[in-house]
Amino acid sequence: MKNTKPKFNQIIDAAVEVIAMNGYHSSQVSKIAKKAGVADGTIYLYFKNKEDILVSLFQEKMGQFIERIEQEIAEKNNAEEKLLELIQLHFRQLGANLPLAIVTQLELRQSNPDLRKKINDVLKRYLTVIDSIIEEGIEEKLFQENLNKKLVRQMIFGTIDETVTNWVMKDHKYSLVGQAEEVHELLVNGISKR
Amino acid sequence: MKNTKPKFNQIIDAAVEVIAMNGYHSSQVSKIAKKAGVADGTIYLYFKNKEDILVSLFQEKMGQFIERIEQEIAEKNNAEEKLLELIQLHFRQLGANLPLAIVTQLELRQSNPDLRKKINDVLKRYLTVIDSIIEEGIEEKLFQENLNKKLVRQMIFGTIDETVTNWVMKDHKYSLVGQAEEVHELLVNGISKR
Amino acid sequence: MKNTKPKFNQIIDAAVEVIAMNGYHSSQVSKIAKKAGVADGTIYLYFKNKEDILVSLFQEKMGQFIERIEQEIAEKNNAEEKLLELIQLHFRQLGANLPLAIVTQLELRQSNPDLRKKINDVLKRYLTVIDSIIEEGIEEKLFQENLNKKLVRQMIFGTIDETVTNWVMKDHKYSLVGQAEEVHELLVNGISKR
Amino acid sequence: MKNTKPKFNQIIDAAVEVIAMNGYHSSQVSKIAKKAGVADGTIYLYFKNKEDILVSLFQEKMGQFIERIEQEIAEKNNAEEKLLELIQLHFRQLGANLPLAIVTQLELRQSNPDLRKKINDVLKRYLTVIDSIIEEGIEEKLFQENLNKKLVRQMIFGTIDETVTNWVMKDHKYSLVGQAEEVHELLVNGISKR
DNA sequence: AATGAATGAGACTTCATTCAT
DNA sequence: GATGAATGAAGTCTCATTCAT
């Protein structure tokens, strides 16, 4: 299965490396082709245009990312545990793959609106996972029943996202996954004293 | 006073409009000049280069933005009220200025590392405001004493930022400031039932 | 062999023609590309930038120029004959190629310091040839033994160069090579009566 | 007399300094105006355009230069002495004014054909001085009678010019005027042994 | 006479994409 | 399928010159 479309994956992996190392604006198609060990023209046999490389990259990498989260979460017993697992997996997967983290947190955000829209389509699946945890938590009476679900989702995603971005931008020398429990605790219980 | 450096502000305001309407990558200097009603070359009497327009734009607009928040917050009595005020002002100011919101939430993030660094320098002042609210809250025994302040700041900023971004991207037809109290409640008390 | 790097030579030849006809300051890259029958961008597959076209032009043309002089001179028997041959070849080669003469005598001197430095590096080889003739002449007791070699070189080169420049600027209707013997005679014996 | 058109001379002197220090291509009108202590627009009250500054500069400075040579030469008794005096004065005047030497030997040669043509008009007066020395030398039977006068002039001017250019470009640490006698000797008697 | 803010034409270079081999 | 040489559109910035004050 992995050997299906070997060039396709070769090119996507090259793109991640090149963008992480050089930044989005210095990642010309020719540079990606060189890193992938193919000719410039070959790229266009597998991708419609440059933007399509990036969209595919995101679909491919985030697809696996989300899939794994969906699987692992299914095994947890309640919404709180699922939320913790989601945070931990999010942090673990990006924390173990700095180039990918750089690309998703920083470089891909410099893209044009069209691309960003397509990236958001991929993200929707992830946001749906968060939504279902929230709903489950409410059903389980773990979470407040009158929560504004959309806002909660934004808080969860915004906090996770900002935490990863900070880790990538600042130092990424401390353990990202080591912060999962604290982040979870904050999201669940807030900052105020009871 | 407003008549000081009229061209300077003219150009910055034109830049916000042009970028909000056309997107960062379609905002040529000539387009900004035309909207500002000046010649292309005039831009370079007031700005070192194109990037300098954007940095100045951010400094100018976010400077005012943050200044106002600092002032209004000073009048509040405790950390909780200050946090609510910060969220409300953040939402109110961007909610009342869609072009500026588009530029700060979407378009300016497509910029190169140099520009992003300078933007972050401006943001630092805002993050410092958040930090001081957190510290005050702990001193006032309103917030938990063993909070990881950096994580808390990331949660607060990440949540606010994600909320604004969603408002800008999705519909921006509902009231942004109308969500301030709920967001505040979530940040303070979390999502769990007591 | 001539078909090696055909585009490279195509572009250099086009550059000579365009510069000779329009002058250095009116010789846009696009004009050179058009004359060479290639797209503007193609220029940059063969040259680093515009200046590199000019440096390469000088290296290529003067390289051949000097090489030919070195070869022909080697066959002459003494310093005086060698000097005459050098003058004749210098005049013959430039006299037979007015565009090249215009470019080397007039247009290329309007370039910036960087370019001039590189041009001087190429010229050094030519000056070395003159130096060795002077030394040989002294050894052969044809020339005075206590000559200030550097000054002599300056006289020889200055005279030749000024003669070509005059020919190019004024009329270039008389034969340049026809003046070689007289120039040689002047350099060797001076202007005074014995 | 010196106080006539003080701005005119102020600007010309500023131009020499600015061009000598920054090079021709970095010598914008605004830079010259600043050095001269006048506004940009003021330049255009005294000069038709930028080129006119340079032409005037050359006329003014070379005018004085040639005038002095004409005067001093008149006092010499024969062509040989006059030639020596001309070389000495040429070297002395430029050797004592490095900025002027830089401008005339290097920077002004980067100008466009129009300017160069006007510069040559100024030079003609100098070349006429050389011509009359040659003619006098022939009449006095000091120089050979069948000399090609134009070639001789080119040799004399080319040699002097090349010597000054070398002095300016290389080191200009040795005395330029110290080479006058040797240069004179070479021009008069050539390089060959009798 | 003097100012200097404003003008705007003009050119080099990059790079995504194509297509003949 | 694979190549990579060639394409050409497009945008930032400079600077000589003007003209209202």
Side-chain angles (χ1 to χ4, degrees):
Chain A
M1 196 58 173
K2 263 186 177 171
N3 259 348
T4 330
K5 309 196 288 174
K7 290 254 166 65
F8 181 87
N9 289 309
Q10 227 168 294
I11 292 166
I12 282 185
D13 289 339
V16 174
E17 277 190 72
V18 169
I19 297 173
M21 183 161 322
N22 304 283
Y24 179 82
H25 282 108
S26 301
S27 296
Q28 297 82 353
V29 171
S30 63
K31 213 178 260 177
I32 294 172
K34 193 171 188 181
K35 174 70 100 182
V38 302
D40 293 17
T42 305
I43 299 266
Y44 291 85
L45 297 175
Y46 295 90
F47 300 90
K48 211 167 71 240
N49 50 33
K50 185 181 181 182
E51 187 180 299
D52 191 30
I53 306 176
L54 303 174
V55 173
S56 303
L57 179 165
F58 203 78
Q59 284 173 337
E60 201 76 1
K61 298 299 180 187
M62 287 309 282
Q64 296 165 7
F65 178 97
I66 296 169
E67 206 162 317
R68 184 151 168 225
I69 288 177
E70 286 173 334
Q71 285 170 2
E72 303 281 333
I73 273 180
E75 297 172 10
K76 296 295 169 182
N77 295 315
N78 62 47
E80 259 199 49
E81 286 181 14
K82 285 182 177 181
L83 179 58
L84 177 58
E85 185 68 20
L86 177 137
I87 298 168
Q88 283 176 330
L89 276 170
H90 191 134
F91 285 1
R92 185 173 304 133
Q93 292 193 76
L94 290 182
N97 194 345
L98 181 57
L100 184 61
I102 292 173
V103 171
T104 59
Q105 300 305 121
L106 303 182
E107 303 300 339
L108 241 47
R109 314 213 164 177
Q110 315 176 33
S111 47
N112 61 53
D114 281 347
L115 175 50
R116 237 167 14 212
K117 201 191 161 312
K118 287 175 187 162
I119 284 177
N120 279 333
D121 288 342
V122 179
L123 269 184
K124 252 179 208 150
R125 190 168 154 203
Y126 185 52
L127 300 180
T128 302
V129 173
I130 296 179
D131 284 348
S132 61
I133 292 177
I134 297 169
E135 272 159 22
E136 184 178 331
I138 294 173
E139 278 171 26
E140 292 166 352
K141 316 263 186 201
L142 287 172
F143 298 163
Q144 301 155 40
E145 62 188 339
N146 57 346
L147 288 175
N148 180 329
K149 291 174 205 164
K150 193 179 158 194
L151 279 188
V152 172
R153 182 223 296 154
Q154 284 168 193
M155 176 169 75
I156 293 173
F157 184 77
T159 301
I160 293 175
D161 190 59
E162 181 72 13
T163 302
V164 178
T165 297
N166 266 273
W167 176 80
V168 170
M169 288 212 314
K170 298 284 163 47
D171 23 41
H172 49 80
K173 276 166 188 161
Y174 56 90
S175 157
L176 186 53
V177 72
Q179 309 212 302
E181 290 197 10
E182 274 181 300
V183 168
H184 177 257
E185 167 67 19
L186 278 173
L187 291 171
V188 170
N189 291 320
I191 55 182
S192 80
K193 234 169 175 158
R194 316 303 160 83
Chain B
M1 199 57 175
K2 263 186 177 171
N3 259 349
T4 328
K5 306 194 290 174
K7 289 256 165 57
F8 181 87
N9 290 310
Q10 221 169 302
I11 292 166
I12 281 187
D13 290 339
V16 174
E17 278 189 72
V18 169
I19 295 174
M21 183 161 322
N22 304 283
Y24 178 83
H25 282 108
S26 301
S27 296
Q28 297 83 346
V29 170
S30 61
K31 216 176 258 176
I32 295 172
K34 194 170 187 181
K35 174 70 99 181
V38 300
D40 292 18
T42 305
I43 299 268
Y44 292 88
L45 296 177
Y46 295 90
F47 301 91
K48 215 169 62 245
N49 50 34
K50 186 182 181 182
E51 185 180 303
D52 191 32
I53 307 176
L54 303 174
V55 173
S56 302
L57 179 166
F58 201 80
Q59 285 173 337
E60 199 76 2
K61 297 300 181 187
M62 287 308 282
Q64 296 166 6
F65 178 97
I66 295 170
E67 207 161 317
R68 180 145 174 234
I69 289 177
E70 285 172 335
Q71 286 169 0
E72 303 282 333
I73 272 179
E75 297 172 11
K76 297 295 168 182
N77 295 315
N78 63 45
E80 260 200 48
E81 288 181 13
K82 286 182 178 180
L83 180 58
L84 177 58
E85 184 70 18
L86 177 137
I87 297 168
Q88 284 177 329
L89 276 169
H90 191 133
F91 286 0
R92 184 172 304 132
Q93 293 193 75
L94 290 183
N97 193 345
L98 181 57
L100 184 61
I102 292 174
V103 170
T104 59
Q105 299 304 121
L106 303 182
E107 302 301 340
L108 241 46
R109 314 213 167 177
Q110 325 175 27
S111 46
N112 62 52
D114 281 346
L115 176 50
R116 245 179 312 157
K117 202 192 162 313
K118 286 173 187 164
I119 286 178
N120 279 333
D121 288 343
V122 179
L123 270 185
K124 249 176 212 152
R125 191 168 154 204
Y126 186 52
L127 300 179
T128 302
V129 173
I130 296 179
D131 284 346
S132 61
I133 294 177
I134 297 169
E135 272 159 22
E136 185 178 331
I138 294 173
E139 277 172 26
E140 292 166 353
K141 313 258 187 210
L142 287 172
F143 298 163
Q144 301 154 41
E145 64 187 338
N146 56 347
L147 287 176
N148 180 329
K149 292 172 203 164
K150 192 178 157 193
L151 279 187
V152 172
R153 182 223 297 154
Q154 285 167 194
M155 177 170 73
I156 294 173
F157 183 78
T159 301
I160 293 175
D161 190 61
E162 181 72 13
T163 302
V164 179
T165 298
N166 266 274
W167 176 80
V168 170
M169 288 213 313
K170 297 286 162 46
D171 23 39
H172 48 80
K173 279 168 186 160
Y174 55 91
S175 156
L176 187 53
V177 73
Q179 308 212 302
E181 289 197 13
E182 274 181 299
V183 168
H184 176 257
E185 168 67 19
L186 277 173
L187 290 171
V188 170
N189 290 319
I191 55 182
S192 81
K193 236 172 171 151
R194 316 305 162 83
Chain C
M1 199 58 175
K2 263 188 176 170
N3 257 348
T4 328
K5 307 194 289 171
K7 290 255 163 59
F8 180 88
N9 289 310
Q10 222 169 299
I11 292 165
I12 282 186
D13 289 341
V16 174
E17 278 190 70
V18 170
I19 296 173
M21 182 161 322
N22 304 283
Y24 178 82
H25 283 108
S26 301
S27 297
Q28 298 83 348
V29 170
S30 62
K31 217 177 258 178
I32 295 173
K34 195 170 185 181
K35 173 71 98 182
V38 300
D40 291 18
T42 305
I43 299 268
Y44 293 87
L45 297 177
Y46 295 90
F47 301 92
K48 216 168 63 241
N49 49 35
K50 187 182 180 181
E51 184 181 302
D52 191 31
I53 306 176
L54 303 173
V55 173
S56 302
L57 179 166
F58 200 79
Q59 284 173 338
E60 199 77 1
K61 298 299 182 188
M62 287 308 282
Q64 296 165 7
F65 178 96
I66 296 169
E67 207 162 317
R68 182 146 171 234
I69 289 177
E70 285 172 335
Q71 285 169 1
E72 304 282 332
I73 272 179
E75 296 172 9
K76 296 296 169 184
N77 294 316
N78 63 46
E80 260 200 48
E81 288 181 12
K82 286 183 178 180
L83 180 58
L84 177 57
E85 183 71 18
L86 177 137
I87 297 169
Q88 284 177 328
L89 276 169
H90 191 133
F91 285 0
R92 185 172 304 134
Q93 292 192 77
L94 290 182
N97 193 345
L98 180 57
L100 183 61
I102 293 174
V103 170
T104 59
Q105 299 306 120
L106 303 182
E107 302 301 339
L108 241 46
R109 315 215 165 176
Q110 327 175 24
S111 46
N112 62 53
D114 281 346
L115 176 50
R116 245 180 312 158
K117 199 191 164 314
K118 286 173 187 163
I119 286 177
N120 279 333
D121 287 343
V122 178
L123 269 185
K124 252 176 210 152
R125 192 169 152 202
Y126 186 51
L127 299 179
T128 302
V129 173
I130 297 180
D131 284 347
S132 61
I133 293 178
I134 297 169
E135 273 158 21
E136 185 178 329
I138 294 174
E139 278 173 27
E140 292 166 354
K141 314 263 186 204
L142 288 172
F143 298 162
Q144 301 156 40
E145 63 189 339
N146 57 346
L147 287 176
N148 180 330
K149 292 171 203 165
K150 192 178 158 193
L151 279 188
V152 172
R153 182 222 297 154
Q154 285 166 194
M155 177 171 72
I156 294 173
F157 184 77
T159 302
I160 294 175
D161 191 61
E162 181 72 13
T163 303
V164 178
T165 298
N166 266 273
W167 176 80
V168 170
M169 289 212 314
K170 298 283 163 47
D171 25 40
H172 48 80
K173 277 166 188 162
Y174 56 92
S175 157
L176 187 53
V177 73
Q179 309 211 301
E181 288 197 13
E182 273 181 299
V183 168
H184 177 256
E185 167 66 18
L186 277 173
L187 290 171
V188 170
N189 290 319
I191 55 182
S192 81
K193 235 172 173 153
R194 315 305 160 86
Chain D
M1 196 59 174
K2 262 189 177 170
N3 258 349
T4 329
K5 306 195 290 174
K7 290 254 166 66
F8 181 87
N9 289 310
Q10 225 168 296
I11 292 166
I12 283 186
D13 290 339
V16 174
E17 278 190 70
V18 169
I19 296 174
M21 183 162 320
N22 304 283
Y24 179 81
H25 282 108
S26 300
S27 297
Q28 297 81 354
V29 170
S30 63
K31 215 178 259 175
I32 294 172
K34 194 172 187 180
K35 173 71 98 181
V38 302
D40 292 16
T42 305
I43 299 266
Y44 291 86
L45 298 175
Y46 294 91
F47 301 90
K48 210 169 71 241
N49 50 33
K50 186 183 181 180
E51 187 180 299
D52 190 31
I53 306 176
L54 303 175
V55 173
S56 303
L57 178 166
F58 203 78
Q59 284 173 337
E60 201 76 1
K61 298 299 179 187
M62 287 309 282
Q64 296 166 8
F65 178 97
I66 295 170
E67 207 161 317
R68 184 149 170 229
I69 288 177
E70 285 172 336
Q71 286 170 1
E72 303 281 332
I73 272 179
E75 298 173 10
K76 296 295 168 184
N77 295 316
N78 62 45
E80 258 200 49
E81 286 180 16
K82 286 183 178 179
L83 180 58
L84 177 58
E85 185 70 17
L86 178 137
I87 298 169
Q88 283 177 328
L89 275 170
H90 191 132
F91 286 179
R92 185 173 303 133
Q93 292 192 79
L94 289 183
N97 194 345
L98 181 56
L100 184 61
I102 292 174
V103 170
T104 59
Q105 301 304 120
L106 303 182
E107 302 301 339
L108 241 47
R109 316 218 163 173
Q110 315 175 34
S111 47
N112 61 54
D114 281 347
L115 175 50
R116 239 170 9 216
K117 201 189 162 314
K118 287 175 185 160
I119 285 177
N120 279 331
D121 288 342
V122 178
L123 270 184
K124 255 179 207 149
R125 189 168 155 204
Y126 185 52
L127 300 179
T128 302
V129 173
I130 296 179
D131 284 346
S132 60
I133 292 178
I134 296 170
E135 273 160 20
E136 183 177 333
I138 293 172
E139 280 172 24
E140 294 166 351
K141 315 260 187 205
L142 286 172
F143 299 163
Q144 300 155 41
E145 62 189 338
N146 56 346
L147 286 176
N148 179 329
K149 292 173 203 163
K150 192 177 159 194
L151 278 188
V152 172
R153 183 223 296 154
Q154 285 167 196
M155 176 170 74
I156 293 173
F157 183 76
T159 301
I160 293 175
D161 190 59
E162 181 73 11
T163 302
V164 179
T165 297
N166 267 272
W167 176 81
V168 170
M169 287 213 314
K170 297 283 163 45
D171 24 41
H172 48 80
K173 277 167 187 159
Y174 55 90
S175 158
L176 187 54
V177 73
Q179 308 213 303
E181 290 197 12
E182 273 181 299
V183 168
H184 177 255
E185 166 68 18
L186 278 172
L187 291 171
V188 171
N189 290 319
I191 54 181
S192 80
K193 238 174 171 154
R194 315 305 159 85

